[in-house]
Amino acid sequence: MELVAIQCARYFPFLHSVEFYVIMTVVAAGLLAICLRPAERGAVITRTVTGWICEGDPEARRDNPRLEIECLPNGNVIVRRTDVKGVGDTGEITLQVTQKGFDLEISEHLVAGRRSPSTPPVQDAVFIFNFMGPEYYHLRWNNHIGDRFAAFTLHVRPGIKTSVDLRQ
């Protein structure tokens, strides 16, 4: 029994040495790095979403075009892009949505088309996103010319309504 106590006593001074604390600090930092590493983003998916052009409300215009977003109870997300310029009667606006995990990079593509005298001066575009789950998403929206953008976080949950200005 004394032999065991003597052998244990030889190891206890190591627990109070600088080397022991350095080793423990390195092990703790490694465990912390493993716990805090970012999640896997998964595959990159690119989708094309076609919008509907509709007449906008000229009295509700603001200085900047904006995105009005509404999350529906069925899980779809409706995005209304206000103040779309340069789209005629036969034109269209589409979005290229690149999804990397919960990060969405959205860029507008505009086909002007023919304009007639009856084309309203103020138009909006409406898009339906049916591929988003109930999560927090980080979105970056670039307009077709590239001079305006919006970057924001969207929590997809039924009943949420928000709006974001497109800035220069």
Side-chain angles (χ1 to χ4, degrees), residues 53 61 65 81-87 93 108 110 121-125 144:
I53 302 294
R61 292 300 116 196
R81 160 72 159 86
T82 65
D83 202 18
V84 177
K85 292 185 168 96
V87 180
I93 186 168
E108 296 177 5
L110 182 75
V122 178
Q123 293 181 311
D124 293 350
H144 66 282

Side-chain angles (χ1 to χ4, degrees), residues 33-56:
I34 289 171
C35 292
L36 295 179
R37 74 177 177 189
E40 296 289 327
R41 286 188 173 199
V44 175
I45 300 170
T46 301
R47 296 178 173 89
T48 301
V49 179
T50 303
W52 292 273
I53 302 294
C54 57
E55 186 172 344

Side-chain angles (χ1 to χ4, degrees), residues 8-154:
C8 288
R10 279 191 257 162
Y11 293 110
F12 286 131
F14 176 72
L15 297 178
H16 298 288
S17 67
V18 173
E19 291 85 4
F20 173 74
Y21 288 110
V22 169
I23 291 170
M24 290 283 94
T25 302
V26 169
V27 169
L31 288 174
L32 189 63
I34 289 171
C35 292
L36 295 179
R37 74 177 177 189
E40 296 289 327
R41 286 188 173 199
V44 175
I45 300 170
T46 301
R47 296 178 173 89
T48 301
V49 179
T50 303
W52 292 273
I53 302 294
C54 57
E55 186 172 344
D57 185 7
E59 296 173 3
R61 292 300 116 196
R62 294 172 176 81
D63 294 336
N64 291 331
R66 60 192 294 112
L67 303 172
E68 298 170 352
I69 302 161
E70 180 179 0
C71 300
L72 301 178
N74 65 359
N76 290 344
V77 176
I78 293 180
V79 179
R80 182 182 201 97
R81 160 72 159 86
T82 65
D83 202 18
V84 177
K85 292 185 168 96
V87 180
D89 298 329
T90 60
E92 70 175 3
I93 186 168
T94 59
L95 301 178
Q96 181 178 350
V97 182
T98 304
Q99 182 176 3
K100 301 174 198 167
F102 297 113
D103 297 335
L104 298 179
E105 181 80 25
I106 303 168
S107 27
E108 296 177 5
H109 297 282
L110 182 75
V111 177
R114 273 182 298 141
R115 292 188 68 83
S116 69
S118 63
T119 302
V122 178
Q123 293 181 311
D124 293 350
V126 178
F127 304 95
I128 296 178
F129 293 173
N130 59 2
F131 52 86
M132 298 172 76
E135 285 290 338
Y136 285 93
Y137 288 88
H138 306 284
L139 285 86
R140 177 158 173 87
W141 187 290
N142 296 312
N143 79 336
H144 66 282
I145 301 172
D147 64 340
R148 293 190 180 271
F149 74 96
F152 58 97
T153 300
L154 175 65

